[in-house]
Amino acid sequence: MIIDITRCNYAPGYLPKATQGFFNPFFAGANVAFRREAIRQTGGFDPNCQTGEDVDISIRVSRADWELWYEPEAVVNHQDPHTFRQLLRQWFGYGLGHAYVYKKHVGSPRLQVYWPGGKAGDSRPYGARCLMDLPFPFYGVVFLSAYHLLHLALLGLMIGVLAHYTVAGIVAGLVALAAGINYATIRFNRRRPLLLARHAWAALRGRYRVRDWRIAGRPTRACVVPPSDADALRAKRRASARIAIACARSARRRGQGAHERASNGAGAAGSSSCAIAPVRSS
Amino acid sequence: MPSEPRLTTSIVVITKDRPQLIGELFEALTVQTLAPDEVVVIDNNSASSYADVFNAYRTRLPLRTFVELTPGIPAARNRGIQEARHEIILFTDDDCVPQPRWLEKMVEPFYRDPRIGAVGGRTTYYGATGTLVERYYRADRQAVEG
């Protein structure tokens, strides 16, 4: 089961039904309306939730055969947290609170690892992919993304799970796993080795270049900003350098092959065989 | 819009120790294109006093205020449900500012289909102080929401 904290790809209109083992769309408590009858049937908010009571009630309303409708034209402006302390408390709290919601709604204990992404209006809900789904001694979800605040929530979730199950070893293992996968993600995405630092730096300068966001080399929806001239020039230089190297290599290989086949006479073919002339960058 | 009876609305706001923020929300509720039938405010046992801001808006909004002693968001929201008297119960928070057409747009889908049990709106984010944390937070959300 996934609680879609990122809410990245709700399409306007009816939302998919909450189903076990898959996505559970929800509405944040700051901007939601209920029909009185739906609230009455579900018995209101669960007092055991610390946070995530909005997630819980959305799931229960949806499972009680009511429809959920997303209306993007009904807009509420919400104040950003001002201080790091507030930010930490908020996201950490989400993670902590969600441990209980997972426990309550997931059918059997499982460990699931998800990778969110995809475009708006994707036929799969939110375009997220389940990377791993295993039976496990306790309920857990590892949600991977370039969305750093989510990692705070993840940390909170781990501790929340710990509080509910006291299986310290497993939790420690899971934290290590999450850290490992995150590290691997960053390594894999070689062009962006310091994702977090870049992210913070961009925010610091007040200039956020969404174009920089590539999840594992796959352009995200945000990659619509055309590259600037400087970037285009750099890309062109890089491309021509690559072609030049490739040509040089193939020339060498052909040269060697020719030497092996016939010791002399055929060498001339090697030097003129490159189809694309190397572009000189000035 | 339809011939059905009009759906009446209760807006439930829960708050704790933020009387300086809630005025902005009340102001936004007074300029809604569809006026709410009641605004239920649940004070979750705050230390600070809301008397001034409540008195300032009592004439401009159908305000009903209660104090819930049990701490926690679910308890406060449940109290709101208990006190709400209308067909559609809307929730928003004390640090939120709805846009003028918010209420109208939130109620519209309920007329469309009687099976709709819950409607959610879009939440946008704004920084009041322009701190680094605020900018980072917004950048992070934009990375996902586009």
Side-chain angles (χ1 to χ4, degrees):
Chain A
M1 177 187 109
I2 271 277
I3 290 168
D4 183 28
I5 323 185
T6 62
R7 293 178 49 109
C8 49
N9 288 311
Y10 283 0
Y14 293 103
L15 294 185
K17 299 297 281 182
T19 49
Q20 284 192 352
F22 206 43
F23 281 85
N24 290 277
F26 80 99
F27 297 133
N31 190 355
V32 62
F34 295 98
R35 205 183 280 275
R36 176 174 282 278
E37 182 57 19
I39 290 254
R40 198 193 56 77
Q41 267 185 27
T42 51
F45 293 94
D46 181 347
N48 295 323
C49 291
Q50 287 174 325
T51 60
E53 79 294 333
D54 42 4
V55 177
D56 172 68
I57 201 165
S58 298
I59 294 172
R60 286 187 290 129
V61 165
S62 180
R63 287 187 186 168
D65 267 346
W66 291 96
E67 297 289 342
L68 304 185
W69 178 280
Y70 175 53
E71 183 57 64
E73 282 182 51
V75 184
V76 159
N77 298 330
H78 189 284
Q79 279 204 13
D80 297 330
H82 306 318
T83 63
F84 187 64
R85 203 186 160 84
Q86 283 174 348
L87 182 80
L88 199 71
R89 190 191 291 162
Q90 184 184 338
W91 280 84
F92 194 67
Y94 286 166
L96 272 179
H98 286 170
Y100 171 75
V101 182
Y102 286 132
K103 185 184 169 193
K104 188 172 168 184
H105 290 290
V106 179
S108 61
R110 300 191 82 78
L111 172 71
Q112 292 167 320
V113 180
Y114 282 87
W115 183 288
K119 299 191 291 288
D122 230 340
S123 58
R124 289 172 307 174
Y126 324 114
R129 282 172 281 184
C130 186
L131 300 178
M132 195 164 87
D133 183 2
L134 299 172
F136 220 63
F138 72 93
Y139 308 91
V141 170
V142 181
F143 208 138
L144 297 171
S145 73
Y147 196 37
H148 298 299
L149 293 180
L150 216 51
H151 297 151
L152 290 180
L154 179 66
L155 186 66
L157 177 66
M158 295 299 168
I159 292 168
V161 166
L162 181 72
H164 279 98
Y165 299 97
T166 60
V167 194
I170 296 169
V171 173
L174 202 60
V175 173
L177 176 72
I181 296 174
N182 280 319
Y183 179 72
T185 311
I186 292 167
R187 292 289 300 172
F188 180 61
N189 202 342
R190 273 170 306 172
R191 287 182 60 203
R192 311 272 170 243
L194 292 167
L195 225 52
L196 182 61
R198 285 184 67 90
H199 199 38
W201 178 237
L204 187 73
R205 286 181 305 172
R207 222 180 79 213
Y208 193 74
R209 293 162 66 208
V210 274
R211 194 171 53 78
D212 282 347
W213 283 85
R214 276 166 190 276
I215 298 172
R218 183 170 152 274
T220 60
R221 179 157 66 101
C223 298
V224 288
V225 183
S228 68
D229 291 348
D231 283 336
L233 191 65
R234 216 175 300 139
K236 209 190 251 174
R237 279 183 191 156
R238 224 176 275 150
S240 44
R242 229 175 283 140
I243 292 167
I245 291 167
C247 286
R249 268 202 204 126
S250 77
R252 208 183 310 137
R253 227 177 293 131
R254 278 165 204 246
Q256 281 172 0
H259 273 293
E260 282 161 20
R261 278 199 305 276
S263 53
N264 50 10
S271 60
S272 62
S273 67
C274 193
I276 309 161
V279 182
R280 254 177 240 288
S281 58
S282 51
Chain B
M1 127 198 321
S3 55
E4 305 166 38
R6 189 178 78 88
L7 292 171
T8 52
T9 54
S10 295
I11 298 179
V12 174
V13 182
I14 61 169
T15 183
K16 188 177 167 66
D17 289 323
R18 291 204 272 206
Q20 72 286 2
L21 283 182
I22 206 165
E24 238 176 300
L25 166 69
F26 286 163
E27 198 59 51
L29 292 182
T30 58
V31 296
Q32 291 291 313
T33 51
L34 176 70
D37 293 293
E38 67 173 356
V39 177
V40 177
V41 182
I42 308 295
D43 173 1
N44 203 188
N45 203 14
S46 299
S48 37
S49 167
Y50 282 78
D52 289 347
V53 67
F54 285 168
N55 288 334
Y57 284 92
R58 227 176 264 285
T59 52
R60 300 168 62 194
L61 280 174
L63 209 57
R64 298 172 64 218
T65 58
F66 303 91
V67 175
E68 173 58 49
L69 297 177
T70 319
I73 297 171
R77 292 225 161 108
N78 280 335
R79 178 70 189 274
I81 292 169
Q82 234 177 56
E83 303 295 349
R85 294 184 295 202
H86 294 282
E87 176 59 22
I88 305 296
I89 304 173
L90 296 102
F91 291 91
T92 188
D93 287 343
D94 53 2
D95 56 351
C96 290
V97 181
Q99 291 188 359
R101 282 160 63 81
W102 175 68
L103 187 57
E104 186 193 328
K105 286 288 169 191
M106 287 293 271
V107 176
E108 223 176 67
F110 287 108
Y111 286 107
R112 198 170 299 161
D113 182 349
R115 291 174 307 141
I116 291 177
V119 172
R122 188 158 61 88
T123 306
T124 59
Y125 297 84
Y126 73 100
T129 58
T131 58
L132 183 64
V133 170
E134 282 182 358
R135 285 154 74 176
Y136 175 75
Y137 182 78
R138 209 148 349 121
D140 201 65
R141 299 203 72 105
Q142 271 169 17
V144 174
E145 289 167 13

